[in-house]
Amino acid sequence: MENTDTIPVLDLGPYLTGVDGALTLLANELRVALEEVGFFYIVNHGVTLEQIDQAFDVTRSFHALSLDDKLEIKINLMNLGYMPDLGQKVTTSAVSDGDKPDRGAAFFMIRDRAPGMDVSPNQWPAIMPNFRQTLVPYFESMMDLGMRMLPIFAQALDLEEDYFEPFFDRHEALCFQRASHYPADKLEPGQYSCGPHTDGSFLTLLATTDVPGLEILTVENEWIKAPLWPGSFLVNSGDMLTRWSNGRFRSTAHRVINDSGEDRYAIPFFMQPNPDALLECLPTCQSETNPPKEEPITCEAYLKWYLENNFLHYGDDT
């Protein structure tokens, strides 16, 4: 396990190719990373650099469309479509301190054709068909990668390696991906490109971009810049996993400040369990001296609360 400043790097290659003992080694490394940092990089993950680059290329092209074209698919109450600039203001995190909406726009999507689904729930720009053609297989690659990582998370929590599988057999209903654009414009005082927050997810996968801006809050309460690690994914545990693990795995605050002078793009994938999965303290994360800290809640209920309190279109009557 290498280290980039304070964020560890995990090599998935031996595990994905079936090397004996690789799962146990990775689980131990992941446990340390999520108990002490809340973030880690993964390399040799099986997603090609070509596919990552293509996803970034179409994201740039989409955000370069005219505002009128993008507003044809303005975000709806399913949280799907185009969210214009200034459409997000984080309020759910204890570290939220911005007093203005964030300077960033994003396109939101879920799985395009889930099993049994005849019509896509997503809103796609008719003017740009290659956007859909590129982001749908990218989304599928993220889902596949997340699922292949579940045994690592389970073993890191002292559970059987297939423990999480029943909780993720219908999880495409809640997984979503955003293709974000953070403009190079100067931020106003008290404003962020993306305000300090913790993710509401089980885990988040973020392909590394070539423009800096992401910052992570350390256990020493200092903001550090996430190093650029070409071809890697930055992974973090979110609030759902923190609740499930009784706080054992950290949901670490992070923010985006794009002061690079360049437009910045990001394509985070947020992986959630089944809608009816109950976030109830895991048996390996509680004891007589460490009782459950949170009341049980379903994933769907938690995500609904999270989205409604962080995105301004939920208060938009139009």
Side-chain angles (χ1 to χ4, degrees):
M1 183 168 66
E2 299 181 55
N3 193 287
T4 58
D5 293 335
T6 61
I7 306 172
V9 180
L10 277 60
D11 184 353
L12 266 58
Y15 162 69
L16 294 177
T17 55
V19 173
D20 287 344
L23 173 57
T24 299
L25 176 63
L26 267 181
N28 290 336
E29 293 179 340
L30 184 145
R31 181 186 303 114
V32 173
L34 293 187
E35 287 183 352
E36 297 184 0
V37 183
F39 276 82
F40 58 90
Y41 289 93
I42 54 173
V43 296
N44 297 320
H45 41 67
V47 182
T48 68
L49 184 58
E50 179 183 17
Q51 187 176 28
I52 295 171
D53 287 344
Q54 288 173 348
F56 275 107
D57 286 345
V58 296
T59 295
R60 293 184 190 95
S61 296
F62 170 77
H63 285 289
L65 295 174
S66 72
L67 181 59
D68 286 343
D69 284 335
K70 290 179 288 191
L71 288 178
E72 288 289 327
I73 55 168
K74 186 177 180 181
I75 197 164
N76 57 29
L77 294 183
M78 291 180 64
N79 208 54
L80 300 175
Y82 174 69
M83 180 190 75
D85 189 20
L86 304 175
Q88 173 179 296
K89 187 175 186 299
V90 179
T91 65
T92 57
S93 174
V95 297
S96 302
D97 62 359
D99 58 3
K100 298 179 176 66
D102 295 340
R103 286 301 319 273
F107 170 84
F108 289 82
M109 64 174 288
I110 60 174
R111 196 176 193 188
D112 204 45
R113 291 284 175 86
M117 186 181 294
D118 296 325
V119 179
S120 169
N122 292 307
Q123 300 193 81
W124 295 106
I127 196 173
M128 190 183 166
N130 66 323
F131 190 55
R132 180 180 188 178
Q133 293 165 4
T134 302
L135 287 191
V136 167
Y138 185 81
F139 184 100
E140 293 294 326
S141 292
M142 296 301 98
M143 280 192 64
D144 181 64
L145 178 57
M147 289 297 292
R148 296 178 79 178
M149 292 179 66
L150 284 181
I152 313 172
F153 282 81
Q155 194 161 120
L157 288 165
D158 307 306
L159 301 162
E160 295 295 324
E161 62 182 79
D162 61 352
Y163 181 88
F164 286 119
E165 286 184 11
F167 299 98
F168 285 84
D169 58 359
R170 292 172 289 104
H171 74 299
E172 64 272 349
L174 295 186
C175 295
F176 69 94
Q177 182 170 279
R178 61 184 283 173
S180 301
H181 171 223
Y182 303 111
D185 305 343
K186 185 177 177 61
L187 297 170
E188 297 179 9
Q191 188 173 52
Y192 295 92
S193 304
C194 184
H197 67 284
T198 56
D199 288 346
S201 58
F202 175 87
L203 67 85
T204 303
L205 295 166
L206 178 69
T208 301
T209 179
D210 57 356
V211 177
L214 178 63
E215 299 182 355
I216 296 168
L217 188 63
T218 68
V219 292
E220 293 81 18
N221 207 37
E222 295 180 358
W223 290 100
I224 62 168
K225 293 185 180 297
L228 304 183
W229 194 267
S232 71
F233 283 95
L234 185 58
V235 184
N236 62 281
S237 44
D239 298 345
M240 289 187 183
L241 183 53
T242 295
R243 290 181 73 112
W244 228 341
S245 66
N246 208 24
R248 181 176 175 183
F249 282 0
R250 297 171 55 83
S251 184
T252 297
H254 48 288
R255 66 188 185 186
V256 177
I257 299 176
N258 183 20
D259 56 5
S260 66
E262 303 177 52
D263 289 311
R264 184 180 187 274
Y265 301 89
I267 316 175
F269 173 83
F270 303 93
M271 183 170 172
Q272 277 76 237
N274 299 340
D276 59 355
L278 193 64
L279 298 172
E280 186 174 28
C281 184
L282 295 167
T284 56
C285 297
Q286 58 179 295
S287 66
E288 290 186 5
T289 57
N290 183 34
K293 299 178 177 66
E294 304 274 5
E295 291 294 322
I297 187 172
T298 65
C299 291
E300 184 173 37
Y302 182 81
L303 188 61
K304 181 178 185 292
W305 169 83
Y306 184 90
L307 294 175
E308 289 180 350
N309 284 278
N310 289 315
F311 294 98
L312 300 181
H313 56 271
Y314 283 102
D316 186 356
D317 294 328
T318 61

